[in-house]
Amino acid sequence: MMTECDLAVAGGGLAGCLIALAVAARHPDARVLLVEGGETLGGNHIWSFFDSDVAASDRWLIEPMIAHRWPQGHEVRFPGHGRRLAAPYNSITSARLDAHVRQILGGRVLIGADVSALTPGCITLSNGRNIQAGAVIDARGGGNLAALRCGWQKFVGQTLRLAAPHGIACPVIMDATVGQVDGYRFIYLLPWDERSIFVEDTYYSGSPDLDEATLDRRIAAYARAQGWQVEAVVHREKGVLPVVHGGDFDRFWPKDDPVARAGVRAALFQPMTGYSLPDAVRFALDVAGDWPMDGVRLAQMTRSRAVRHWRRGGYYRLLGRMLFGAAEPERRWRIFERFYRLDPRLISRFYAGRSTLNDRIRILCGRPPVPIRGAMHALISPPA
Ligand SMILES: Cc1cc2nc3c(=O)[nH]c(=O)nc-3n(C[C@H](O)[C@H](O)[C@H](O)COP(=O)(O)OP(=O)(O)OC[C@H]3O[C@@H](n4cnc5c(N)ncnc54)[C@H](O)[C@@H]3O)c2cc1C
């Protein structure tokens, strides 16, 4: 059978785009095809990360897509405790990702192409077209999470254009001085320029339901409370990310499923934050490092890597069980407040999903910020 390409990537989101870019860069002769159902690549997202999330040697892959960088570090705010941390912060926008990937891949991007079926060597589109490929990888995002036990990190974010400077110098990763409702609530701020600021109202909640109108109102109320006069809302996005605290990986990705996976579809994210960018970068470069592969080998390689990631994530899932099982929803903020008193290097490794054994012990030891009986109960019998 004649193949149309060597690697067909189903899904032009973060993970799919990074794989296509990495393989195209490291193997200029490889025929890569990126197949996306929407009209643009990357959806409608701002993806942010700390410098320490991505190895300096891997950074080239994402550098051209960084829309904003804050070299001066970032801040957190809790009742009675605020802190400035030195780790520089960066944001990639989906518009930048879309432009960059199209520029690099050119005609090797297929837009508006809805994938209806996959095998290790063929993508079938809903219009009936078959794309024969040397290898296929499924990067179509979340998929079916029924086999995983999840809490949720959910949010609405808006970029506000203000009538006067907002006075915020660096990103505020968590402003948890706001009213605590629907779990752990905080505001996340990204100051784009003097008068534009991204304001996101975020919840660590037991429910994935997102009452968007209420969150929009709370963002407006937060802006008013800061004394900001909003001229326009120039961007809006929303998300409901799984915070995985248990589940059955073999049911999520059955051993006999023969198709390679990437990104959230392979559970390649930090279980406590739902953030996937650090893993997506490492994973894309690993695929490029092992290239060339046929579809069967690519599936074996990606599954064994995802299994390793799942095992390493056991500790973060345990923290998730404590967060969702032990802490009364409106007291969850205490867990984060205590965490943010720890060594900044430990905090960086946590976000990168690279906590050392010492970090793991340090995070759990000391006087618990939530009642110990609840915590022990959560560990023994995790929430359903
Ligand atoms: C609003 C938002 C903000 C986020 N911010 C961050 C952040 O700051 N940092 C971070 O690390 N993580 C963040 N995340 C979490 C996570 O990194 C993202 O969800 C990330 O985009 C997941 O990457 P992915 O490639 O696995 O899935 P996605 O990016 O969702 O990509 C999946 C792609 O597949 C396409 N697709 C789906 N079905 C089909 C089909 N049948 N045929 C063809 N194409 C299909 C979709 O259109 C989409 O483009 C955020 C998530 C959201 C929703």
Side-chain angles (χ1 to χ4, degrees), residues 208-293:
D209 299 338
L210 190 65
D211 178 352
E212 293 183 42
T214 298
L215 270 62
D216 284 339
R217 274 197 300 276
R218 288 181 185 152
I219 291 171
Y222 184 85
R224 267 196 311 278
Q226 310 306 307
W228 298 337
Q229 193 193 328
V230 178
E231 282 184 348
V233 176
V234 294
H235 164 87
R236 185 177 182 280
E237 65 181 52
K238 60 181 177 176
V240 180
L241 312 184
V243 178
V244 176
H245 54 70
D248 179 351
F249 185 83
D250 286 334
R251 204 151 63 77
F252 173 72
W253 184 349
K255 281 193 181 105
D256 57 4
D257 180 344
V259 180
R261 296 191 192 184
V264 176
R265 193 155 283 242
L268 287 165
F269 48 82
Q270 211 283 22
M272 269 291 278
T273 64
Y275 273 25
S276 72
L277 185 136
D279 290 298
V281 173
R282 287 194 283 263
F283 185 83
L285 290 166
D286 284 354
V287 170
D290 285 3
W291 190 258
M293 287 174 273

Side-chain angles (χ1 to χ4, degrees), residues 11 13-15 36-37 45-48 114-115 238 264 275-277:
L14 182 66
E36 165 58 38
H45 293 57
I46 298 166
W47 296 280
S48 299
D114 179 48
V115 174
K238 60 181 177 176
V264 176
Y275 273 25
S276 72
L277 185 136

Side-chain angles (χ1 to χ4, degrees), residues 299-365:
Q300 287 163 352
M301 180 258 169
T302 58
R303 191 173 191 283
S304 67
R305 211 173 165 302
V307 167
R308 264 204 322 276
H309 179 81
W310 176 263
R311 288 193 185 130
R312 270 211 303 266
Y315 173 77
Y316 300 113
R317 292 195 293 280
L318 179 143
L319 292 183
R321 284 202 287 284
M322 294 185 74
L323 180 68
F324 286 101
E328 288 163 35
E330 275 70 41
R331 294 177 72 187
R332 284 180 193 150
W333 64 271
R334 289 171 183 272
I335 293 181
F336 289 88
E337 185 191 45
R338 179 179 175 278
F339 172 75
Y340 266 107
R341 291 182 189 275
L342 299 175
D343 184 330
R345 288 164 301 180
L346 174 153
I347 294 170
S348 295
R349 290 191 290 268
F350 175 87
Y351 278 107
R354 297 278 181 202
S355 301
T356 63
L357 181 61
N358 278 346
D359 293 345
R360 290 163 192 242
I361 294 167
R362 184 70 194 88
I363 288 170
L364 282 176
C365 74

Side-chain angles (χ1 to χ4, degrees), residues 11-12 35-40 110-115:
V35 183
E36 165 58 38
E39 290 307 315
T40 58
L110 204 57
I111 290 294
D114 179 48
V115 174

